[in-house]
């Protein structure tokens, strides 16, 4: 129970709140909401604490794979240093193939959202998460092929992602640590051991 005890002071996102989040993710598909979808999907699927992981993501970080059963999934193509559950930086990097984000048949499919996001990025951009295009924000985004500029989101701005996400989805204010707690609790409930979760 070590890792779960360490995260007990970060509240997990309640099922009722997760339902609100899923509803938002399945019904909204505009410039702002799409970047929120992608950020949330990567944060919770790859059990990231946020800034240390997200600021290093590039468009080339994303790899789409067709699984053995024909179900597509997404992986991160490079190793990333992550904080461990005790708050420090681990000496060893996690393997790129260790974590996967699978496609679903729902309107809120995270893999579909990432693909759409990539198609709306500036062709010369390198970072995955970039600033909004003013034209796409102000006008009808369907009239603009590019929704995101080639300017990366600043490191400091990542701290506002979770408050903005909570506000937009209509849930109470959680921290990015709550995403980690929620993912870890879900894995524990599914029967994974602490060793497997870590």
């Amino acid at each position: 129970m070590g890792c779960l005890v360490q995260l007990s002071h970060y509240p997990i996102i309640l099922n009722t709140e997760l339902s609100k989040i899923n509803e938002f993710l399945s019904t909204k598909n505009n410039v702002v909401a799409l970047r929120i979808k992608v950020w949330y999907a990567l944060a919770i699927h790859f059990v990231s604490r946020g800034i240390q992981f997200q600021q290093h993501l590039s468009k080339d970080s994303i790899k789409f794979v067709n699984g053995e059963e024909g179900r597509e999934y997404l992986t991160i193509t490079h190793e990333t240093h992550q904080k461990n559950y005790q708050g420090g930086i681990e000496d060893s990097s996690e393997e790129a193939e260790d974590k996967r984000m699978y496609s679903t048949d729902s309107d809120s499919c995270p893999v579909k959202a990432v693909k759409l996001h990539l198609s709306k990025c500036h062709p010369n951009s390198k970072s995955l998460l970039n600033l909004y295009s003013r034209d796409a924000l102000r006008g009808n985004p369907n009239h603009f092929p590019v929704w995101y500029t080639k300017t990366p989101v600043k490191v400091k701005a990542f701290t506002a992602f979770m408050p903005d996400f909570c506000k937009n989805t209509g849930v109470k204010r959680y921290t990015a640590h709550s995403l980690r707690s929620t993912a870890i609790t879900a894995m524990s409930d599914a029967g994974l051991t602490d060793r497997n979760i870590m």
Side-chain angles (χ1 to χ4, degrees):
M1 294 296 291
C3 65
L4 298 178
V5 171
Q6 292 290 337
L7 289 165
S8 61
H9 54 293
Y10 297 116
I12 65 168
I13 302 173
L14 301 175
N15 286 336
T16 53
E17 303 279 55
L18 287 172
S19 294
K20 289 181 182 178
I21 290 170
N22 288 331
E23 181 180 356
F24 172 85
L25 295 180
S26 64
T27 58
K28 304 287 185 181
N29 204 27
N30 57 44
V31 178
V32 176
L34 180 60
R35 195 178 75 176
I36 290 174
K37 282 184 187 183
V38 170
W39 171 82
Y40 170 79
L42 293 173
I44 201 161
H45 280 87
F46 292 92
V47 196
S48 165
R49 288 197 175 184
I51 295 172
Q52 293 80 12
F53 169 71
Q54 295 158 357
Q55 73 185 49
H56 295 111
L57 289 176
S58 70
K59 291 194 296 186
D60 292 337
S61 299
I62 305 299
K63 178 182 178 182
F64 299 99
V65 180
N66 285 318
E68 295 177 0
E69 298 179 358
R71 189 178 176 194
E72 188 176 27
Y73 64 86
L74 178 158
T75 66
I76 302 299
T77 61
H78 58 78
E79 296 178 347
T80 56
H81 287 285
Q82 299 248 47
K83 283 186 176 181
N84 62 26
Y85 63 92
Q86 293 177 331
I89 299 292
E90 293 187 4
D91 292 333
S92 60
S93 299
E94 64 178 3
E95 295 296 330
E97 296 289 328
D98 281 352
K99 297 177 183 176
R100 299 175 180 183
M101 183 169 77
Y102 280 90
S103 63
T104 68
D105 294 327
S106 70
D107 291 334
S108 59
C109 173
V111 173
K112 186 189 299 182
V114 173
K115 284 186 172 183
L116 178 60
H117 178 89
L118 286 169
S119 74
K120 298 297 183 180
C121 288
H122 190 285
N124 296 329
S125 64
K126 294 182 179 178
S127 177
L128 179 65
L129 299 171
N130 302 294
L131 299 182
Y132 303 123
S133 161
R134 290 182 180 178
D135 290 337
L137 273 177
R138 292 172 179 170
N140 183 339
N142 293 326
H143 295 164
F144 299 93
V146 173
W147 289 7
Y148 309 102
T149 70
K150 57 184 178 181
T151 304
V153 172
K154 293 183 179 179
V155 174
K156 188 172 69 172
F158 279 110
T159 60
F161 270 46
M162 192 61 185
D164 288 348
F165 177 73
C166 292
K167 181 179 178 181
N168 278 282
T169 55
V171 302
K172 73 177 186 179
R173 185 165 175 161
Y174 291 95
T175 67
H177 291 283
S178 287
L179 291 177
R180 189 175 175 90
S181 297
T182 302
I184 288 175
T185 300
M187 286 187 280
S188 178
D189 290 345
L192 277 70
T193 66
D194 279 5
R195 180 182 178 85
N196 290 142
I197 292 171
M198 288 188 288

